[in-house]
Amino acid sequence: MTERMVPNPRHERLKQLLREAEYGSQEVRQAYQRAVGAMQSGKVWTGPTAVKWGAELEERHQRLGQLARRVVEAIEEELRRQPPLVTESEATGESRRWDFSE
């Protein structure tokens, strides 16, 4: 007898996590935009120290965006590995294993 197929709880949780990570990634990429723009305008602070600090701020802004994108990509990769449907017993085992009751 073939066991009934049901939604994979891990797949469902990863989809939820991906939505959260994409939202957070957008926030992170925008986190320093105003400050970077202000520094680049030359109207808020000038001089060699300001240039150095502005360059550092821009580098951190870029790095933060890259790291946020890597998190999203890692979740997408794991999501691709998970079948959307599994047998009922696999789903029960997966739920117990990862405690998706939250």
Side-chain angles (χ1 to χ4, degrees):
M1 182 160 107
T2 304
E3 198 171 349
R4 185 168 74 102
M5 300 298 281
V6 297
N8 180 349
R10 183 166 172 82
H11 190 271
E12 294 299 313
R13 177 64 181 121
L14 285 166
K15 286 193 314 188
Q16 178 185 351
L17 184 61
L18 180 59
R19 285 190 298 272
E20 293 169 9
E22 287 172 334
Y23 178 78
S25 178
Q26 287 178 340
E27 285 186 340
V28 162
R29 285 195 306 268
Q30 295 171 359
Y32 292 116
Q33 279 183 339
R34 288 185 68 194
V36 168
M39 288 303 297
Q40 290 174 343
S41 75
K43 295 178 181 178
V44 294
W45 186 17
T46 59
T49 304
V51 170
K52 183 179 177 186
W53 192 84
E56 238 179 80
L57 182 64
E58 173 67 25
E59 286 176 31
R60 289 179 187 203
H61 174 67
Q62 293 297 323
R63 180 80 174 133
L64 193 56
Q66 291 168 354
L67 292 172
R69 185 68 209 147
R70 285 176 50 193
V71 168
V72 169
E73 289 169 354
I75 297 168
E76 289 171 337
E77 185 178 325
E78 184 60 27
L79 186 58
R80 283 190 295 273
R81 289 186 194 139
Q82 297 298 317
L85 297 174
V86 294
T87 64
E88 200 165 15
S89 60
E90 288 173 318
T92 300
E94 194 69 22
S95 291
R96 284 187 188 136
R97 180 176 175 202
W98 297 101
D99 189 20
F100 293 132
S101 60
E102 297 177 11

